[in-house]
């Protein structure tokens, strides 16, 4: 089936630095990817929708200048957390829209970001 | 239901018993619904889905029931095993819009 590879799985960074998270679709083309954030013991919250070759669409309350999304190819979308602060510490998960038997949504394994 | 950001309710089940996890949804326009399982530190894993024109669908050890009248979904897991311990989310889908997750339920299996 469709696989989305997300990297890194864990990252620790200092306050004020930037972190890039990558999601790659393996063996299929993902024209659309979704980025979610999940705080401990909470549900996944949609941050933005990323479409290949166009600007991402951000959900209300998500700062587009802080969470930069790039979807320059059909197999790669990146999320860059800029000038990270401790409150940005969270679990970030991407999802690619596919056409396999699971009706279209394949998730990455997530990235645990800790800002110190 | 499909509101997000709330702390997770917990369901504790004895190993071997059946589990029933419930979900209420708000969007009547959803074309289909999906149940996901999320283990600690991992991304959601597809379990089973059901189209909005169906009432019931069965998989291996799992059954999903859909009641559109009261906008309610349930996931039944037969003979629950320790490996079933996880957080379970329902999500409604309309077209190619992003999944909106319910608040989830943590299933704890007691050996």
């Amino acid at each position: 089936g469709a696989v989305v590879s997300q990297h890194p799985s864990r990252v620790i960074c200092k306050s004020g630095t930037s972190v890039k998270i990558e999601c790659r679709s393996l063996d299929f083309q993902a024209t659309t990817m979704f980025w979610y954030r999940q705080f401990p013991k909470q549900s996944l919250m949609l941050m933005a929708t990323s479409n290949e070759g166009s600007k991402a669409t951000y959900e209300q309350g998500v700062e587009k200048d802080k969470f930069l999304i790039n979807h320059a190819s059909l197999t790669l979308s990146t999320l860059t957390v800029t000038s990270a602060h401790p409150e940005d510490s969270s679990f970030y998960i991407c999802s690619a829209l596919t056409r396999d038997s699971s009706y279209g949504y394949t998730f990455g394994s997530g990235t645990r970001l800790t800002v110190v | 239901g499909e509101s997000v950001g709330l702390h997770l309710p917990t369901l504790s089940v004895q190993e071997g018993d059946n589990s029933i996890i419930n979900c209420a949804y708000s969007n009547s326009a959803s074309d289909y619904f999906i149940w996901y399982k999320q283990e600690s530190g991992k991304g959601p894993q597809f379990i089973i889905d059901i189209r909005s024109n169906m009432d019931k669908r069965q998989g291996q050890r799992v059954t999903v029931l859909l009641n559109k009248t009261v906008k309610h979904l349930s996931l039944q897991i037969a003979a629950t095993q320790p490996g079933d311990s996880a957080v379970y989310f329902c999500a409604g889908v309309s077209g190619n819009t992003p999944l909106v997750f319910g608040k989830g339920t943590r299933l704890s299996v007691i050996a």
Side-chain angles (χ1 to χ4, degrees), chain B residues 34-92:
Chain B
I34 311 175
W35 278 100
Y36 286 93
K37 173 185 180 183
Q38 186 181 27
E39 295 176 275
S40 181
K42 297 183 180 179
Q45 176 187 1
F46 172 87
I47 300 174
I48 191 169
D49 56 17
I50 185 169
R51 285 203 173 275
S52 59
N53 61 357
M54 299 171 65
D55 298 321
K56 179 179 180 180
R57 191 174 185 207
Q58 287 185 296
Q60 187 177 14
R61 281 204 307 122
V62 294
T63 301
V64 56
L65 299 178
L66 173 61
N67 185 331
K68 293 183 287 294
T69 303
V70 295
K71 298 183 182 178
H72 183 269
L73 271 171
S74 69
L75 176 70
Q76 301 178 5
I77 305 173
T80 312
Q81 302 168 0
D84 295 326
S85 294
V87 177
Y88 290 81
F89 295 96
C90 70

Side-chain angles (χ1 to χ4, degrees), chain A residues 42-61:
Chain A
Q42 294 189 19
S43 187
L44 288 79
M45 297 183 67
L46 180 67
M47 298 176 67
T49 300
S50 162
N51 291 297
E52 185 269 336
S54 64
K55 291 183 179 180
T57 303
Y58 291 82
E59 295 299 299
Q60 191 173 9

Side-chain angles (χ1 to χ4, degrees), chain A residues 34 36 38 40-46 49 59 91 93 95 97 99 101-105 107-110 112, chain B residues 4-8 32 34 36 38 41-44 46 49 51 89 93 95-99 101-103 106:
Chain A
F34 307 105
Y36 293 84
Q38 185 178 32
K41 298 184 179 181
Q42 294 189 19
S43 187
L44 288 79
M45 297 183 67
L46 180 67
T49 300
E59 295 299 299
F91 193 55
I93 309 170
S95 171
L97 191 59
R99 293 296 177 208
S101 60
S102 63
Y103 284 105
Y105 300 89
F107 285 85
S109 54
R112 172 73 60 194
Chain B
V4 295
L6 303 177
H7 291 279
L8 304 173
Y32 58 96
I34 311 175
Y36 286 93
Q38 186 181 27
K42 297 183 180 179
F46 172 87
D49 56 17
R51 285 203 173 275
F89 295 96
V93 184
N96 290 334
T97 57
L99 293 173
F101 287 87
K103 60 183 178 182
R106 180 176 301 281

